[in-house]
Amino acid sequence: MSSDTVPATVYTDATRAKGEVIIELDSVDKYFGDFQALKDINMRVGLQEVVVVIGPSGSGKSTLIRCINRLEKHDRGTIIVDGIELSDDIRNIQVVRRETGMVFQQFNLFPHLTVMDNITLAPRQVRHLPKKEADDLAMELLERVKIPEQARKYPGQLSGGQQQRVAIARSLAMRPKVMLFDEVTSALDPEMIKEVLDVMVELAEGGMTMIVVTHEMGFARAVANRVVFMSDGQIVEVGTPEHFFTSPQEDRTKLFLSQIL
Amino acid sequence: MTTATSKTHRRPPFWRDVRVLRVVGQIVALVAVALAARWFLTNLITNLNRSGIRTDFGFLTQPTQFTIPYFTTFNARSPVWQMVLVGVKNTLLVGFLGILMASVVGLVVGIARLSTNWLAARLATVFVEFFRNIPPLVVIIFFGAAVFTFGPLPILQEGIEITLPGSSNNLLLLSNDQWGIPGLVSQGNVGAYLVVLAVGLAVAVGLWVWRTRVNISTGAPDHRVLWFVGALLLFAVVGYLVLGGPFSIEWPSLSENRRRIETGFAMNWGFMALTGALGLYTASHIAEIIRGSIQAVPKGQTEASSALALRGFQRYRFVILPQALRIAVPPVINQFLNLVKNTSLGLAVAYAELAALTQTSIGNGRPAVQSIVVMMAVYLAFSLSISLILNVVNRRLQLVTR
Amino acid sequence: MTASAERAPVLPEGSALGWIKERLFRNVWSGAVTVVLIPVLIYVGYRAFVFIFINGQWAAVSRNLTNFIMGRYPRDQTWRLVAQMMLLALAFGAGAGTGSGTARDKAEEAGLVYVPPTLAGTLRRFWSLIAFVLVLLVMAGSTGPWLVAGAAVVLGYVGWQSWRLPRSLRMLSWLATALLLLAGFQVVSGTDGMAWLPVALAVAFAVWLVVPVERLQAVMRPVVSLVASLAAAAVVFGVYQVIAFPGIGWDQWSGMHLTLWWSAIVSALAFPVGLLLALARRSNLPALRYLATTYIELIRGVPLITLLFMGQFILGFMLPAGTNLSSISRSIAAGTLFTAAYLAEIVRGGLQSLPPGQAEAGQALGMAPTTIMRKIVLPQALRAVIPAMVGQFISLFKDSSLLFIINVTEFLSVRGIVHAQPDFRVIAHAETLVFVAVGYWAFAFAMSRESQRLERRLGIGER
């Protein structure tokens, strides 16, 4: 599945060491009212690493990655993204959001803008890229995700798989250091899942640091460096894909895997 | 793997701290509003004092110094707060009857719009599209001026009596500016009778619940409407007899000079114009809502109920109308609220509702600020009550979802 | 009248007799209704015909047409009204044309088909207005009004040609439309009195939309936006004090002219206030939420007439002694307070209907809250509630009749002028009232049709 056409560091900063810790979570707790969604989460993610998070629904996987870009606010513990701590400091929050990209289950494309405008909106408004440069960047990314001909269409005219690929391109346009994927194939019809996964595989091989919440075990086996299993707000087991699928340790892990494999 | 350098736990500078900014933002807003309010109020009090107008609410106990037409119990020496009560009573009277009229007419017209009879549907559409697009004030003035004052009805020197056949009692009296219909007058024990009615209502509700349970457990027809109505009637009739007739009918009759209506329930032309106009105007809105809500019930419901062999009337009663009503009730109650607010247009036909009386009172020298505040407070009370009812009804009607 | 399940057309489909049976006599109930309604309709139709064409004393209307249209407006300044009509016709034409051009461009790019409006379609859409204007022209009798109407139509068509402009000139075209609207307003109102207020507000709002504050620190952004808007408003105010173009301030506007402008001015003033209220009501800051909610619930709980009374009797006292606002200015203030609360609820509905994922996507991309609001949330939310906002405008247009009660001479009150004339003291009350009703109806009906059409085109309510 590896391709020779994508250089291994096109999506990352080649001057930095592979594996350098870029995301740190220490003793993170998160409550929704009385319900504790995250319990004592400790996690380190290194540069160019692909971490796949799996678990039953309600286990806190989405909450976890939404805390990383401050779409949810964690109640205890520390979250540090590329040396910047997520706190009540507005500037920190903005910087972290610029450096992380998120792709949503519901795509969340802006329906009133063309595909092109969707992708160039943030680079122009946040990074103050001139229009020409932003447009060139958008076309380059659309070619990467293999739908350059849709540039002037509206999201409503695209299929689900195409919309999700546009969403990925939109996040890539901000040149994030880390990409967060929140169950991005769960809302797609089966025949469209592959095209999105192919794009994600290409991202992984291009050196992007990725945290992927998903049910797609094939993807995990293909490109994940590490698989994290969560249940009831806790990280239950961590390991390489081979370890996970051949010899899981915990009972909860075995139960979950028996249900989905 | 090397660990990244992490900043120590340090509070961010306050101008970037989210929590600080939230609090500061709110304080700024509150202070701005308070300052503006204070500026307006000081101006108000200063200017009022300078003009020698009083700034308290004492005017409520002073005599009104004007009379209200058609209200013989009210004279120029009655205190202002009584005038307010008269205004409230009249507003509620129009409101209540207007709501009744609007509901009935609106329901009929709304369903007629969906009728298969082309004439009925078209006429209903014309009715709705006409009344919805003209101002209620125009409708009111039309009824008031073009129908009653300058209109086709002849100017009567003395009242016309329409008597019940076989007796000397009048069913309907038409005079120049009033119509009389039979009214109810109390003979005493009214309070006790109301208690009896309340008890009867409770019993009727209890019977309703019991019959519903019987139907659920045994499948026998519940006839609960019959039981409910029967119980209510029983209590009403027995209570009436036992208490020695707390109410009696007062037939309308003319005064000595046969120009005014003395007894019975006299409706003056302003009242009729206002109620009729608002009834029809609001009915057009309600008809639209009902039509929309019936059409909003998904088509699959009709198809499914047909597939279950439910006939037309049963389909409507068990499947379509309940769902349509859920959708219709909140906007319809909103229209009721609008009707009550629109009674304030009674000024245009000289009907003595609250806004008209307030305007007259201010014209007679009562302090304007306080009068208007009192008037707004009353309307606010009406609105908030109706909104409360709306919220309660809304909650009961919510479909139970996961 | 019930939807019966039985269907057995004996007569061939499509024939006249078949239609009659199906639509009028399908079952017993339907037949009974038809039998009752037809004689009633015939009688009513007969009476209406007699009233309109035979007995009706329409002289009360035809001799007072100028009164109905412009009320007490000084007659020697009529040229201003004519000029205004010309400028506005040009402006509306240009606005429609530019909008059409933009839609055409977008459709082309997306590969969709754009269907331009046809003359026949336009005539059908606005038939009530066209019919009313024709009735007025026929009643007027003289050729002057016909020429004016004709010139307006021609200018409207000229403005419509702006759809042919190339994309690069589109912005200029919008600017030209806005300037034409402003000129139409100015040619009558002049630069004295309160004329600066709506213009200053419009400019301030436009500045707030456009000022690029993203490069600044988060705290400075709202402050700079506010300062820039206020500065722009102050500049407009200053310009208006310096330039002296005398006109007829809105204190002297009257009749149908006032009705239309009052509704437009109040809507324009109420929109930014309502928008701010809606944002405040949905804000995370409890203080803002409570303030906004209290205001909205208070205003929505009282009838408009009480606010008009407040404007008449109380507003004068609340301002520093010596400020003298005219009746119309006060009514505009009261109407603005009133409409802002209702608009706030409408906008709030639009904001609530937007999926939260939209704002989240903007946040995930690192966009600032104001950018998210301006580029993502508001365009979608406002577009979704355009029909409701048009409905509010229609409501306001009808409510302008309440100015009658505070002795402002708008369209309905002109009847007072007419029936004070010795010839018409006791007759023709129904005729004038019918005329007024038809006037309101023609506008309101056309607008409500447009709103329904917009709702269909914007695809609202379709799942």
Side-chain angles (χ1 to χ4, degrees):
Chain A
M1 258 208 240
S2 70
S3 75
D4 312 286
T5 53
V6 178
T9 55
V10 71
Y11 290 115
T12 186
D13 187 351
T15 61
R16 297 172 69 167
K18 174 170 173 165
E20 174 189 334
V21 170
I22 194 165
I23 296 186
E24 268 183 75
L25 284 90
D26 277 313
S27 310
V28 172
D29 288 336
K30 164 92 189 128
Y31 291 86
F32 286 111
D34 289 333
F35 170 69
Q36 188 168 11
L38 293 177
K39 301 176 186 161
D40 194 32
I41 301 288
N42 291 285
M43 202 164 106
R44 301 260 185 292
V45 179
L47 210 54
Q48 297 189 34
E49 200 182 344
V50 175
V51 176
V52 168
V53 181
I54 62 175
S57 70
S59 56
K61 331 188 279 290
S62 284
T63 315
L64 175 63
I65 61 171
R66 284 165 68 92
C67 281
I68 294 179
N69 72 350
R70 199 65 164 190
L71 284 182
E72 305 285 356
K73 181 172 129 92
H74 62 283
D75 294 311
R76 267 200 290 272
T78 51
I79 301 181
I80 301 177
V81 177
D82 199 20
I84 300 168
E85 184 189 345
L86 272 181
S87 63
D88 287 316
D89 189 335
I90 302 184
R91 198 175 64 178
N92 285 5
I93 299 176
Q94 290 301 108
V95 171
V96 165
R97 283 181 177 164
R98 283 203 294 269
E99 302 306 325
T100 56
M102 181 171 243
V103 186
F104 299 85
Q105 182 178 0
Q106 301 296 334
F107 330 141
N108 287 335
L109 291 180
F110 308 132
H112 61 297
L113 301 175
T114 59
V115 161
M116 190 71 143
D117 290 334
N118 261 275
I119 300 178
T120 58
L121 181 64
R124 289 178 66 187
Q125 296 290 327
V126 180
R127 295 209 191 273
H128 307 295
L129 238 54
K131 184 170 188 319
K132 179 90 177 36
E133 271 186 54
D135 287 349
D136 291 340
L137 172 63
M139 284 311 298
E140 182 198 324
L141 289 169
L142 280 174
E143 300 210 8
R144 286 268 181 81
V145 298
K146 305 198 180 35
I147 41 172
E149 71 283 357
Q150 310 290 352
R152 301 243 167 253
K153 297 252 171 72
Y154 284 88
Q157 298 171 268
L158 271 51
S159 74
Q162 290 169 326
Q163 289 188 49
Q164 196 62 296
R165 285 188 273 161
V166 170
I168 295 178
R170 181 176 67 172
S171 298
L172 285 175
M174 290 293 284
R175 301 233 182 273
K177 300 208 170 64
V178 181
M179 288 273 283
L180 306 167
F181 293 82
D182 190 357
E183 303 217 30
V184 300
T185 52
S186 302
L188 293 177
D189 289 334
E191 63 267 16
M192 298 195 238
I193 296 183
K194 178 177 185 309
E195 66 196 47
V196 173
L197 287 181
D198 285 345
V199 169
M200 290 165 69
V201 164
E202 198 216 313
L203 281 180
E205 289 170 353
M208 175 61 79
T209 316
M210 298 161 66
I211 306 182
V212 182
V213 173
T214 186
H215 298 303
E216 296 292 327
M217 295 302 133
F219 174 80
R221 263 195 262 242
V223 287
N225 299 114
R226 204 181 353 149
V227 175
V228 171
F229 173 66
M230 280 185 73
S231 175
D232 296 315
Q234 290 171 302
I235 294 183
V236 172
E237 195 168 337
V238 181
T240 60
E242 297 78 45
H243 154 92
F244 238 88
F245 299 120
T246 52
S247 51
Q249 299 282 346
E250 302 287 328
D251 286 333
R252 275 189 283 183
T253 323
K254 292 183 197 166
L255 178 61
F256 176 71
L257 287 175
S258 71
Q259 285 167 337
I260 63 163
L261 286 181
Chain B
M1 279 204 286
T2 54
T3 44
T5 52
S6 55
K7 292 201 171 116
T8 51
H9 290 267
R10 202 175 60 205
R11 298 277 292 269
F14 71 89
W15 71 82
R16 294 204 310 254
D17 190 334
V18 166
R19 295 165 307 180
V20 169
L21 289 173
R22 281 172 59 111
V23 172
V24 165
Q26 293 182 72
I27 293 182
V28 165
L30 283 171
V31 164
V33 169
L35 280 178
R38 214 195 77 163
W39 185 69
F40 280 122
L41 275 174
T42 8
N43 280 339
L44 185 64
I45 307 237
T46 325
N47 288 331
L48 282 179
N49 282 334
R50 192 179 320 175
S51 316
I53 305 176
R54 47 194 311 175
T55 53
D56 60 356
F57 282 86
F59 76 103
L60 286 171
T61 48
Q62 287 190 327
T64 40
Q65 291 172 349
F66 64 89
T67 55
I68 302 177
Y70 309 118
F71 275 87
T72 44
T73 51
F74 188 91
N75 57 46
R77 281 193 302 279
S78 311
V80 172
W81 61 264
Q82 257 189 25
M83 174 204 85
V84 173
L85 279 182
V86 169
V88 168
K89 174 172 156 261
N90 285 342
T91 302
L92 285 176
L93 197 58
V94 173
F96 180 66
L97 290 172
I99 286 177
L100 267 180
M101 184 174 167
S103 308
V104 168
V105 175
L107 191 61
V108 167
V109 173
I111 294 185
R113 272 199 80 165
L114 294 171
S115 161
T116 52
N117 183 310
W118 181 86
L119 262 185
R122 275 279 171 266
L123 277 182
T125 308
V126 166
F127 175 88
V128 167
E129 287 302 324
F130 177 68
F131 276 102
R132 265 201 330 154
N133 288 309
I134 58 179
L137 190 54
V138 169
V139 184
I140 292 173
I141 293 182
F142 184 83
F143 272 70
V147 173
F148 284 106
T149 312
F150 293 103
L153 302 175
I155 297 180
L156 302 163
Q157 289 301 99
E158 51 177 53
I160 296 181
E161 291 168 335
I162 299 172
T163 49
L164 273 181
S167 81
S168 62
N169 284 325
N170 293 322
L171 189 58
L172 180 63
L173 269 186
L174 306 172
S175 87
N176 214 14
D177 49 359
Q178 281 179 294
W179 288 15
I181 56 175
L184 292 172
V185 70
S186 82
Q187 307 280 22
N189 281 337
V190 173
Y193 189 65
L194 287 175
V195 168
V196 167
L197 276 183
V199 168
L201 187 63
V203 167
V205 168
L207 284 174
W208 175 282
V209 171
W210 169 62
R211 293 302 305 175
T212 313
R213 291 229 182 95
V214 162
N215 171 264
I216 290 176
S217 54
T218 67
D222 51 26
H223 296 308
R224 55 188 183 179
V225 177
L226 287 174
W227 281 87
F228 184 87
V229 172
L232 265 185
L233 275 179
L234 190 67
F235 270 82
V237 169
V238 169
Y240 186 88
L241 294 172
V242 163
L243 288 173
F247 287 106
S248 69
I249 298 184
E250 192 187 44
W251 301 101
S253 66
L254 291 170
S255 61
E256 277 295 313
N257 57 12
R258 299 184 66 77
R259 279 174 177 274
R260 286 188 308 108
I261 297 180
E262 250 182 353
T263 54
F265 183 68
M267 306 185 289
N268 63 65
W269 67 277
F271 170 79
M272 290 189 285
L274 190 60
T275 314
L278 285 182
L280 286 183
Y281 176 77
T282 315
S284 70
H285 286 269
I286 292 184
E288 256 316 85
I289 295 172
I290 290 191
R291 177 190 73 101
S293 61
I294 292 184
Q295 282 183 326
V297 176
K299 261 204 111 174
Q301 298 290 306
T302 324
E303 293 171 356
S305 39
S306 299
L308 288 167
L310 287 173
R311 290 197 313 276
F313 184 67
Q314 290 172 322
R315 253 207 327 266
Y316 262 86
R317 187 178 150 210
F318 291 110
V319 176
I320 297 187
L321 277 185
Q323 295 189 58
L325 265 154
R326 270 202 186 85
I327 303 173
V329 164
V332 163
I333 294 192
N334 204 29
Q335 285 303 318
F336 290 164
L337 179 57
N338 282 344
L339 191 147
V340 171
K341 287 197 285 186
N342 278 336
T343 59
S344 57
L345 300 174
L347 302 162
V349 285
Y351 178 64
E353 45 77 40
L354 187 58
L357 289 175
T358 309
Q359 194 191 39
T360 318
S361 159
I362 293 178
N364 269 300
R366 301 284 139 245
V369 178
Q370 294 90 309
S371 305
I372 294 179
V373 166
V374 167
M375 172 175 68
M376 288 174 89
V378 171
Y379 279 114
L380 205 55
F382 289 150
S383 309
L384 290 178
S385 327
I386 296 184
S387 293
L388 212 66
I389 298 177
L390 176 57
N391 281 337
V392 166
V393 164
N394 246 345
R395 249 187 310 234
R396 301 310 307 284
L397 285 182
Q398 289 297 337
L399 287 172
V400 177
T401 53
R402 210 149 51 96
Chain C
M1 275 206 284
T2 51
S4 151
E6 85 225 23
R7 279 178 164 275
V10 179
L11 297 152
E13 308 265 345
S15 74
L17 235 46
W19 184 92
I20 290 182
K21 181 175 197 305
E22 181 65 17
R23 294 308 196 131
L24 297 177
F25 292 99
R26 178 185 266 199
N27 53 37
V28 174
W29 297 109
S30 188
V33 162
T34 309
V35 162
V36 164
L37 281 181
I38 287 195
V40 169
L41 275 177
I42 293 180
Y43 177 69
V44 168
Y46 168 72
R47 292 301 300 256
F49 182 81
V50 165
F51 174 74
I52 294 177
F53 293 106
I54 304 185
N55 276 348
Q57 289 136 325
W58 295 104
V61 173
S62 56
R63 294 215 318 239
N64 282 295
L65 279 178
T66 333
N67 274 330
F68 274 112
I69 295 184
M70 57 173 97
R72 300 187 202 273
Y73 190 84
R75 294 291 185 265
D76 55 345
Q77 302 283 329
T78 312
W79 63 269
R80 292 181 190 266
L81 289 187
V82 173
Q84 178 176 81
M85 211 183 326
M86 299 298 126
L87 286 167
L88 288 181
L90 202 54
F92 285 148
T98 317
S100 171
T102 318
R104 186 186 300 255
D105 289 340
K106 278 195 186 170
E108 251 171 46
E109 285 196 346
L112 297 166
V113 173
Y114 174 71
V115 180
T118 60
L119 180 63
T122 313
L123 284 178
R124 209 166 355 160
R125 268 160 70 184
F126 297 107
W127 69 266
S128 64
L129 269 179
I130 295 173
F132 182 65
V133 169
L134 280 175
V135 163
L136 286 180
L137 291 176
V138 165
M139 270 197 182
S142 54
T143 47
W146 286 97
L147 289 174
V148 167
V153 169
V154 166
L155 280 175
Y157 187 68
V158 166
W160 165 254
Q161 298 310 310
S162 60
W163 69 264
R164 298 177 192 274
L165 288 175
R167 278 197 86 169
S168 44
L169 293 180
R170 204 65 79 195
M171 259 305 151
L172 269 170
S173 189
W174 282 119
L175 193 60
T177 310
L179 285 175
L180 280 170
L181 280 172
L182 180 62
F185 177 70
Q186 285 307 142
V187 77
V188 176
S189 77
T191 52
D192 39 13
M194 298 288 286
W196 64 271
L197 181 59
V199 180
L201 274 163
V203 169
F205 190 57
V207 163
W208 180 77
L209 277 179
V210 172
V211 152
V213 288
E214 282 75 26
R215 292 177 185 269
L216 301 174
Q217 294 270 17
V219 176
M220 296 302 296
R221 286 185 201 135
V223 174
V224 168
S225 278
L226 191 63
V227 166
S229 309
L230 288 176
V235 163
V236 171
F237 179 71
V239 164
Y240 270 63
Q241 302 311 311
V242 166
I243 298 183
F245 172 54
I248 311 288
W250 65 41
D251 305 337
Q252 302 190 52
W253 298 5
S254 196
M256 173 62 101
H257 181 242
L258 175 65
T259 295
L260 288 169
W261 272 107
W262 188 88
S263 315
I265 292 174
V266 168
S267 299
L269 291 178
F271 180 71
V273 179
L275 185 57
L276 288 173
L277 277 173
L279 292 175
R281 185 144 184 199
R282 279 180 47 90
S283 138
N284 297 332
L285 311 180
L288 287 182
R289 230 178 20 239
Y290 289 135
L291 281 174
T293 310
T294 314
Y295 175 83
I296 293 174
E297 292 304 320
L298 262 171
I299 299 285
R300 279 164 57 99
V302 296
L304 176 57
I305 195 76
T306 56
L307 289 171
L308 287 175
F309 281 168
M310 211 175 86
Q312 282 297 95
F313 298 113
I314 304 185
L315 192 60
F317 288 125
M318 283 178 129
L319 298 172
T323 41
N324 233 337
L325 287 178
S326 68
S327 260
I328 292 187
S329 295
R330 293 166 200 248
S331 68
I332 290 183
T336 307
L337 288 179
F338 182 75
T339 310
Y342 287 81
L343 279 178
E345 283 298 278
I346 292 174
V347 172
R348 182 174 80 110
L351 290 171
Q352 268 178 330
S353 72
L354 200 62
Q358 290 291 305
E360 281 183 358
Q363 286 170 338
L365 287 165
M367 290 167 73
T370 32
T371 320
I372 297 178
M373 191 55 68
R374 281 181 358 200
K375 297 275 179 184
I376 300 175
V377 173
L378 281 183
Q380 296 187 61
L382 290 179
R383 194 173 304 195
V385 296
I386 285 178
M389 289 200 287
V390 172
Q392 187 60 39
F393 178 76
I394 297 175
S395 202
L396 187 64
F397 173 71
K398 294 190 302 179
D399 284 342
S400 67
S401 55
L402 265 67
L403 295 176
F404 162 66
I405 295 184
I406 54 173
N407 292 325
V408 168
T409 313
E410 40 71 56
F411 189 47
L412 179 59
S413 332
V414 176
R415 288 183 71 240
I417 300 180
V418 171
H419 293 296
Q421 298 164 356
D423 283 345
F424 304 118
R425 240 190 271 276
V426 283
I427 61 168
H429 282 265
E431 282 82 349
T432 49
L433 206 41
V434 166
F435 175 72
V436 165
V438 169
Y440 277 112
W441 183 85
F443 278 99
F445 182 73
M447 287 193 281
S448 86
R449 275 283 192 249
E450 274 307 290
S451 159
Q452 287 167 1
R453 187 170 164 273
L454 266 172
E455 207 166 328
R456 273 197 304 271
R457 284 191 96 184
L458 293 174
I460 295 164
E462 288 170 15
R463 289 279 148 237

